[in-house]
C-alpha cells in the first residue's frame, strides 16, 4: 500500500475507522472495527473516549498507543480514592512562596500587602498537575490526557471532572480562568469497581473492551511477542481462551497472556506441556484459590482440548 | 407540518428523523439516551459512511450506549430498527415496543401479588384513618407481631411504620480531610495560606480532621418458597433501606441472583415491587444460596464491596444446593466485606435452633446473626448498623445468639 505520509502521522486527519485501525496496527496495537470506530469518532467529534472492560484487556494501552500514533505527549492522571483538586489540577508551592516573601522583606521594599500578594501568586509558583497541564498545553498538537481507573476516585472528583470536560477551563482564584486553546484527546478508563455516573458517560464515546477472540489474541501475541514460536503461540492462546471459560475469581487478561508468552519463551519451551503450565501458572492466575482449583485435572483437560483443536486443520 | 407524499426531503433531513425515532425507541427499551446523544450521532454521520452498515452500527453504539448491560439490547434493537429494505436507504420499521419486548424476551409488566391474594379495594380516606390508628399501643403490638401473621391492613400499617424508621450506618474514615479543630493535626496548606499576609509568620493556626463517609450497604434477600411468608415484608424493608440511605445495592435470590437496585430506586413502594417482580423469575422456588453467593462474589463483589461495605444476607438458610460451596463462598464474602450480617426471620421463634444445614455451614463466617421476623427486630438491626465501630470485628466462629440479643 502506498501512503504519502507515514500512516500514524496524520491520525487526526484520518477519514475512516479503517485508517485508524491501520495506524494503530503500525503502533502494534490490534484493534477491532468497533474500537477503531469509537476512537475515530472521539477524535473527529472532540469527545472523551470512555473505555470499560475487565482488568488487563488493554484499556490503558490505547491511550499510550494513541499518543504515540498522534506523535504527541501523554499526560496521565492515575485516579485513587481521595484524589482531590490539589493533586489533579494545581497546588501553590507554599514553601517557595514563603521564601519569596522573606526575600521581598529582606530587600527592604516597603511594598503594600496587595503588591506582595500579587508578587507571590505568580504562575512560577504554581505546581501544575495533570489536568491543568493538559488544558494549558500549547504545543502545536494537543496532548493525549489519560484519566486512568476513574472508578477508583470518589464521586466528588467525578463531578469536578464533568465540569472540566464540558467547559475545558479551570479557574484559579488568584490567576483567573485558564482556557484550553484546543481540547486534549481524552481517554478515560474504568474497571467497573463501581458505576460511573451516567451524566459523565453520556458525554463520552463509550466502548466496552471484551476479552479478545482466538484470532485477535493470536495476532496480539504475534505482534507484541514476536520471539515466541508460532506453534507455542497458538497453543498458549488456545489454552488461555479455554481457561477463560473456567469459573475463576480473576480471569486472565491480555497482559497475562503476553507475560505468559514471554515466560514460556524465556524457559525455551517449544510445546505447551503440563509441567510447563504448572510451573508458570502464577503468571496467569493471581489468586491462590484459582491456582489450586485449576492445577491438575483442569489443566490436563484444557491441554487435551488444545491438542484436539490443533489436530483439526 | 409534514406533507403527505412529499418525498423530496434531503436524505440528511430524512435520516435525522429516523435517528430521533431510533433514540425514542431505545428509551422505550430502557436505555439512557438523551437528545444530546442523538445530535452527536447526527454529527458523527458527517464522518461515517452510513452505507457501511457495520460502521454505522459501531458509531451508533459508541455514542448511544454507555452501560455494558445495555449492549445486547442495543444490538437487537439495531437489527430490528435498521432492517435493510429493498430501498438502499435504511428505513426504520414501525416502532412497537410491545412487539420488541416480546422479541427481546423481556417479560411483560405484572402486578406484585405474592400468594395470589388480592388486596381489597381501598379509598383514599381509609389511608388517613390508618395513620390516625398508629397511636402508641397498637404500634407496640404491631412492632412485636410476627410478619407471617400480618393481615393486609397490618401490612399497610407496617409499611407506614417502616417509613418512620431512621437508618444510619456508622461512618467510615476516608482519606480526605476537612478543616477541623483537633489540635493534633495541623493543616499545612491552610496554615501557610492564612499566614502569608502576615509575612509568613504563623499567627493564626489551622487544623484538619479526616472526613467521614457513610459505608455502602449491600442486601441479599432470599425469596425462595420457604421464605414466602416473609419476603413481601422484607422487600418493603429493603425498599425503605434503599430510599433512606445513600449507597445501597439490593439483590434477591432463589435459584439465581438478580440485582434489583435500579427497580427499588422508585419512590413508590408498590411500583418498585412491581418492577422487581418483572425482572425476577425465580419467585418462591428452590434455594441455592451457595450458588447465589458465588455469583455475587464473582460478578458483583468487586464492584459493590469497595469502601468498607456492610453486607446483609436475609435468609432462613434452607438450602438445596451444595453446602460446602456455600461455606466456601461465605468465607470469601466475609473476607471481602467490612461486616457480614445474617438476618433470619425464623430466629425470632421461641426455641429456634439453627438446624437448617445451609445456616450451619454459613454461620462460622457470619459476623452478626439476628432475627428479622417483626419490626422490633429490624429496629434492633438499625441499632447495630449505627454502632459498627471503626474496626473490623475480630473474626472467629460466633456462638449463635438467641432471639433478641443485640450484637
Amino acid at each position: 500500500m502506498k501512503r504519502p505520509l507515514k500512516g500514524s502521522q496524520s491520525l487526526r486527519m484520518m477519514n475512516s475507522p479503517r485508517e485508524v485501525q491501520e495506524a494503530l496496527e503500525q503502533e502494534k496495537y490490534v484493534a477491532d472495527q468497533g474500537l477503531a470506530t469509537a476512537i475515530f469518532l472521539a477524535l473527529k467529534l472532540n469527545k472523551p473516549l470512555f473505555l470499560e472492560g475487565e482488568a488487563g484487556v488493554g484499556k490503558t494501552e490505547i491511550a499510550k498507543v494513541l499518543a504515540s500514533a498522534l506523535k504527541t505527549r501523554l499526560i496521565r492522571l492515575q485516579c485513587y480514592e481521595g484524589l482531590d483538586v490539589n493533586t489533579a489540577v494545581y497546588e501553590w508551592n507554599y514553601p517557595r512562596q514563603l521564601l519569596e516573601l522573606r526575600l521581598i522583606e529582606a530587600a527592604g521594599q516597603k511594598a503594600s500587602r496587595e503588591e506582595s500578594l500579587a508578587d507571590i501568586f505568580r504562575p512560577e509558583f504554581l505546581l501544575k498537575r495533570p489536568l491543568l497541564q493538559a488544558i494549558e498545553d500549547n504545543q502545536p498538537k494537543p496532548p493525549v490526557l489519560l484519566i486512568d481507573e476513574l472508578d477508583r476516585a470518589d464521586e466528588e472528583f467525578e463531578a469536578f471532572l464533568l465540569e472540566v470536560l464540558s467547559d475545558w477551563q479551570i479557574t484559579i482564584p488568584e490567576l483567573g480562568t485558564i482556557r484550553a486553546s484546543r481540547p486534549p484527546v481524552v481517554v478515560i478508563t474504568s474497571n467497573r469497581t463501581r458505576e460511573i455516573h451516567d451524566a459523565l458517560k453520556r458525554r463520552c464515546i463509550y466502548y466496552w473492551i471484551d476479552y479478545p477472540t482466538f484470532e485477535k489474541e493470536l495476532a496480539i501475541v504475534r505482534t507484541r511477542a514476536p520471539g515466541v514460536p508460532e506453534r507455542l503461540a497458538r497453543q498458549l492462546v488456545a489454552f488461555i481462551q479455554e481457561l477463560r471459560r473456567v469459573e475463576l475469581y480473576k480471569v486472565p487478561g491480555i497482559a497475562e497472556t503476553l507475560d505468559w508468552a514471554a515466560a514460556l519463551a524465556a524457559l525455551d519451551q517449544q510445546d505447551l506441556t503440563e509441567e510447563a503450565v504448572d510451573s508458570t501458572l502464577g503468571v496467569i492466575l493471581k489468586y491462590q484459590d484459582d491456582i489450586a482449583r485449576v492445577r491438575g485435572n483442569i489443566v490436563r483437560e484444557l491441554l487435551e482440548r488444545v491438542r484436539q483443536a490443533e489436530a483439526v486443520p | 407540518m409534514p406533507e403527505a407524499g412529499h418525498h423530496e426531503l434531503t436524505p440528511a433531513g430524512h435520516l435525522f428523523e429516523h435517528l430521533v425515532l431510533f433514540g425514542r425507541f431505545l428509551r422505550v427499551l430502557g436505555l439512557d439516551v438523551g437528545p444530546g446523544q442523538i445530535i452527536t450521532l447526527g454529527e458523527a454521520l458527517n464522518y461515517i459512511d452510513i452505507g457501511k452498515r457495520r460502521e454505522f452500527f459501531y458509531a451508533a453504539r459508541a455514542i448511544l450506549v454507555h452501560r455494558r448491560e445495555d449492549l445486547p439490547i442495543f444490538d437487537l434493537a439495531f437489527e430490528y430498527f435498521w432492517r435493510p429494505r429493498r430501498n438502499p436507504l435504511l428505513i426504520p420499521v414501525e416502532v412497537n415496543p410491545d412487539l420488541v419486548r416480546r422479541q427481546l424476551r423481556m417479560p411483560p409488566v405484572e402486578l406484585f401479588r405474592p400468594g395470589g391474594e388480592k388486596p381489597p379495594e381501598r379509598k383514599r380516606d381509609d389511608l388517613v384513618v390508618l395513620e390516625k390508628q398508629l397511636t402508641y399501643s397498637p404500634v407496640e403490638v404491631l412492632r412485636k407481631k410476627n410478619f407471617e401473621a400480618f393481615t393486609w391492613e397490618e401490612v399497610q400499617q407496617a409499611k407506614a411504620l417502616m417509613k418512620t424508621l431512621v437508618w444510619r450506618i456508622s461512618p467510615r474514615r476516608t482519606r480526605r480531610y476537612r478543616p477541623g479543630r483537633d489540635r493534633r493535626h495541623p493543616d499545612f496548606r491552610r496554615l501557610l495560606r492564612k499566614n502569608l499576609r502576615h509575612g509568613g509568620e504563623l499567627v493564626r493556626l489551622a487544623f484538619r480532621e479526616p472526613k467521614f463517609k457513610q459505608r455502602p450497604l449491600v442486601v441479599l434477600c432470599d425469596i425462595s418458597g420457604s421464605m414466602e411468608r416473609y419476603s413481601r415484608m422484607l422487600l418493603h424493608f429493603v425498599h425503605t433501606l434503599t430510599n433512606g440511605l445513600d449507597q445501597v445495592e439490593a439483590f434477591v435470590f432463589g435459584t439465581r441472583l438478580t440485582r434489583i437496585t435500579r427497580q427499588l430506586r422508585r419512590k413508590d413502594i408498590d411500583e418498585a415491587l412491581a418492577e422487581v417482580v418483572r425482572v425476577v423469575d425465580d419467585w418462591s422456588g428452590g434455594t441455592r444460596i451457595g450458588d447465589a453467593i458465588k455469583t455475587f462474589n464473582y460478578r458483583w463483589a468487586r464492584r459493590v464491596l469497595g469502601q468498607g461495605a456492610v453486607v446483609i444476607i436475609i435468609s432462613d438458610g434452607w438450602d438445596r444446593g451444595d453446602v460446602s460451596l456455600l461455606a466456601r463462598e461465605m468465607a470469601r464474602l466475609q473476607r471481602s466485606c467490612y461486616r457480614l450480617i445474617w438476618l433470619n426471620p425464623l430466629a425470632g421463634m421461641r426455641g429456634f435452633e439453627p438446624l437448617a444445614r445451609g445456616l450451619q455451614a454459613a454461620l462460622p463466617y457470619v459476623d452478626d446473626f439476628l432475627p428479622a421476623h417483626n419490626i422490633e427486630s429490624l429496629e434492633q438491626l438499625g441499632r447495630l448498623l449505627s454502632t459498627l465501630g471503626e474496626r473490623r470485628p475480630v473474626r472467629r466462629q460466633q456462638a449463635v445468639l438467641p432471639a433478641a440479643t443485640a450484637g
Side-chain angles (χ1 to χ4, degrees):
Chain A
M1 250 203 170
K2 257 198 284 172
R3 236 183 258 126
L5 295 163
K6 254 202 130 188
S8 55
Q9 223 164 350
S10 52
L11 188 47
R12 268 239 145 152
M13 289 168 253
M14 299 258 132
N15 290 316
S16 72
R18 176 86 205 116
E19 286 173 43
V20 171
Q21 211 170 3
E22 281 166 12
L24 294 179
E25 226 159 85
Q26 288 205 333
E27 300 293 330
K28 299 195 171 178
Y29 191 94
V30 184
D32 38 38
Q33 200 190 347
L35 178 58
T37 309
I39 295 175
F40 173 73
L41 287 174
L43 293 173
K44 285 287 175 198
L45 303 174
N46 273 329
K47 281 183 176 292
L49 181 64
F50 195 105
L51 300 170
E52 271 189 334
E54 303 296 336
V57 289
K59 298 186 293 293
T60 305
E61 193 63 22
I62 289 177
K64 296 183 186 163
V65 166
L66 258 183
S68 110
L70 293 166
K71 296 215 168 8
T72 176
R73 98 188 151 116
L74 176 72
I75 299 174
R76 178 174 182 164
L77 176 65
Q78 171 67 51
C79 298
Y80 54 88
E81 203 204 327
L83 175 71
D84 56 6
V85 172
N86 293 310
T87 20
V89 190
Y90 74 93
E91 168 97 296
W92 288 104
N93 190 340
Y94 295 105
R96 276 200 60 199
Q97 283 179 316
L98 277 181
L99 203 63
E100 181 73 13
L101 213 54
R102 291 283 156 89
L103 286 175
I104 295 175
E105 272 172 22
Q109 294 158 347
K110 277 271 174 212
S112 72
R113 217 186 75 200
E114 283 71 31
E115 273 172 50
S116 49
L117 275 182
D119 260 350
I120 58 168
F121 285 110
R122 283 197 314 245
E124 53 183 293
F125 296 116
L126 197 64
L127 298 173
K128 291 170 193 165
R129 309 292 195 206
L131 280 183
L132 185 58
Q133 285 173 22
I135 283 196
E136 225 203 18
D137 190 283
N138 40 22
Q139 304 293 309
K141 286 179 189 167
V144 172
L145 170 65
L146 167 63
I147 300 171
D148 213 5
E149 302 187 329
L150 180 61
D151 49 332
R152 287 211 205 173
D154 28 26
E155 278 119 42
E156 285 107 322
F157 181 71
E158 215 180 292
F160 173 78
L161 194 63
L162 183 62
E163 208 181 304
V164 174
L165 291 186
S166 44
D167 301 342
W168 288 117
Q169 61 179 41
I170 285 170
T171 302
I172 301 172
E174 295 86 354
L175 290 183
T177 299
I178 298 175
R179 199 167 276 118
S181 53
R182 234 188 298 169
V185 177
V186 182
V187 179
I188 304 174
T189 76
S190 160
N191 285 333
R192 295 227 311 172
T193 57
R194 71 175 174 85
E195 290 290 352
I196 303 298
H197 203 280
D198 283 338
L200 181 70
K201 290 162 85 181
R202 229 179 275 137
R203 279 185 171 68
C204 302
I205 303 291
Y206 176 86
Y207 191 76
W208 170 266
I209 306 190
D210 235 326
Y211 289 115
T213 58
F214 174 81
E215 283 74 25
K216 186 181 168 195
E217 195 159 26
L218 185 61
I220 295 170
V221 170
R222 276 184 195 143
T223 41
R224 301 297 288 269
V228 177
E230 174 68 16
R231 182 174 145 83
L232 179 64
R234 286 183 155 275
Q235 287 176 341
L236 75 90
V237 170
F239 187 91
I240 291 271
Q241 293 272 333
E242 290 289 339
L243 186 60
R244 287 199 187 114
R245 284 191 215 156
V246 178
E247 255 183 11
L248 296 170
Y249 195 55
K250 172 72 188 75
V251 178
I254 299 170
E256 276 81 17
T257 310
L258 290 173
D259 286 348
W260 200 35
L264 290 169
L267 292 172
D268 268 335
Q269 298 294 316
Q270 299 296 318
D271 203 18
L272 201 59
T273 61
E274 197 189 332
E275 299 78 62
V277 174
D278 254 0
S279 54
T280 51
L281 216 45
V283 178
I284 43 176
L285 296 176
K286 306 295 166 73
Y287 280 86
Q288 182 51 36
D289 294 10
D290 286 346
I291 294 179
R293 187 175 143 75
V294 165
R295 179 163 279 159
N297 281 340
I298 294 187
V299 167
R300 272 193 291 281
E301 202 182 299
L302 295 185
L303 281 174
E304 186 52 41
R305 261 186 249 162
V306 170
R307 303 237 182 296
Q308 278 169 7
E310 235 181 350
V312 182
Chain B
M1 226 202 222
E3 285 167 69
H6 184 69
H7 293 295
E8 303 302 302
L9 285 167
T10 57
H14 211 87
L15 193 57
F16 196 73
E17 269 171 45
H18 292 168
L19 293 182
V20 172
L21 271 179
F22 185 48
R24 196 179 300 161
F25 179 59
L26 292 174
R27 261 199 303 282
V28 169
L29 295 174
L31 268 68
D32 176 45
V33 177
Q37 285 155 281
I38 297 297
I39 292 169
T40 308
L41 180 57
E43 219 180 301
L45 292 181
N46 295 328
Y47 308 104
I48 288 288
D49 182 1
I50 191 158
K52 288 182 184 154
R53 198 157 180 273
R54 264 347 252 173
E55 210 169 293
F56 175 53
F57 166 75
Y58 282 123
R61 195 162 80 158
I63 291 170
L64 302 180
V65 184
H66 51 84
R67 293 181 195 136
R68 192 213 173 177
E69 54 271 32
D70 289 344
L71 291 175
I73 301 175
F74 176 88
D75 293 358
L76 284 166
F78 185 90
E79 286 302 318
Y80 186 85
F81 192 91
W82 302 96
R83 210 173 285 169
R85 297 288 184 86
R86 262 176 302 149
N87 194 315
L89 265 179
L90 297 163
I91 303 283
V93 293
E94 199 57 41
V95 178
N96 180 349
D98 280 339
L99 199 66
V100 179
R101 267 179 196 282
R102 230 172 295 144
Q103 276 210 334
L104 303 186
R105 297 210 185 81
M106 291 167 92
V109 184
E110 275 171 38
L111 287 174
F112 182 63
R113 260 181 248 126
E117 72 179 288
K118 251 196 169 148
E121 297 274 320
R122 293 250 130 210
K123 282 182 202 144
R124 267 194 175 273
D125 20 31
D126 286 346
L127 290 172
V128 182
V129 177
L130 281 179
E131 271 174 41
K132 283 183 192 149
Q133 280 174 356
L134 289 178
T135 47
Y136 183 73
S137 60
V139 170
E140 258 324 276
V141 175
L142 191 66
R143 281 179 64 228
K144 296 207 153 99
K145 187 158 183 178
N146 197 308
F147 291 148
E148 84 177 296
F150 270 11
T151 62
W152 192 85
E153 280 80 10
E154 282 169 330
V155 169
Q156 302 312 308
Q157 293 173 23
K159 274 203 269 187
L161 189 57
M162 271 195 209
K163 260 191 213 157
T164 65
L165 296 184
V166 179
W167 295 97
R168 205 179 68 84
I169 304 185
S170 21
R172 162 188 80 94
R173 175 200 282 260
T174 68
R175 293 194 206 170
R176 282 175 184 259
Y177 287 88
R178 62 170 188 204
R181 286 196 200 138
D182 184 347
R183 306 220 139 211
R184 281 173 305 175
H185 305 291
D187 182 344
F188 287 105
R189 181 175 307 131
R190 275 177 53 246
L191 196 66
L192 292 168
R193 246 208 110 92
K194 270 180 147 181
N195 291 293
L196 278 174
R197 67 187 59 173
H198 307 301
E201 294 298 336
L202 300 187
V203 179
R204 295 161 59 195
L205 300 178
F207 302 95
R208 63 179 194 173
E209 60 186 28
K211 220 163 147 178
F212 285 83
K213 210 172 163 182
Q214 203 172 58
R215 293 177 181 281
L217 184 69
V218 177
V219 184
L220 301 162
C221 187
D222 186 341
I223 46 153
S224 61
S226 60
M227 288 283 290
E228 202 175 357
R229 291 161 302 164
Y230 294 98
S231 40
R232 173 174 45 173
M233 278 319 291
L234 290 172
L235 278 175
H236 283 324
F237 161 64
V238 177
H239 179 259
T240 54
L241 277 181
T242 311
N243 283 283
L245 288 168
D246 280 346
Q247 278 181 282
V248 180
E249 283 285 342
F251 299 82
V252 292
F253 64 90
T255 49
R256 47 181 282 262
L257 185 80
T258 316
R259 179 174 183 241
I260 56 167
T261 309
R262 286 225 172 117
Q263 286 73 25
L264 288 188
R265 290 239 174 88
R266 285 170 174 265
K267 274 271 176 288
D268 185 281
I269 170 81
D270 297 313
E271 277 175 32
L273 291 188
E275 280 291 300
V276 170
V277 171
R278 201 167 66 75
V279 296
V280 174
D281 54 16
D282 53 347
W283 285 100
S284 306
T287 334
R288 284 202 297 269
I289 311 179
D291 287 288
I293 302 206
K294 183 174 179 185
T295 313
F296 177 80
N297 281 340
Y298 279 71
R299 298 243 181 90
W300 295 97
R302 256 169 296 177
R303 295 179 54 194
V304 300
L305 291 187
Q307 312 181 339
V310 175
V311 178
I312 298 180
I313 296 177
I314 309 178
S315 169
D316 55 8
W318 291 104
D319 186 24
R320 286 177 214 168
D322 177 356
V323 179
S324 60
L325 173 76
L326 175 60
R328 203 165 58 238
E329 295 303 329
M330 283 297 290
R332 170 170 279 162
L333 180 57
Q334 193 192 27
R335 282 200 301 271
S336 28
C337 70
Y338 178 77
R339 189 92 167 211
L340 182 51
I341 300 171
W342 188 299
L343 297 182
N344 187 341
L346 301 185
M349 291 199 296
R350 196 160 297 148
F352 167 80
E353 276 183 71
L355 294 178
R357 55 190 205 120
L359 202 52
Q360 282 190 329
L363 271 181
Y365 308 103
V366 170
D367 296 320
D368 307 272
F369 183 70
L370 299 172
H373 60 295
N374 57 17
I375 293 188
E376 193 184 28
S377 62
L378 297 182
E379 290 171 349
Q380 181 188 332
L381 170 72
R383 281 196 295 280
L384 172 72
L385 288 179
S386 60
T387 54
L388 284 179
E390 270 231 38
R391 281 170 203 282
R392 277 175 195 256
V394 179
R395 276 162 176 171
R396 57 191 146 82
Q397 181 154 358
Q398 297 238 352
V400 179
L401 302 169
T405 320

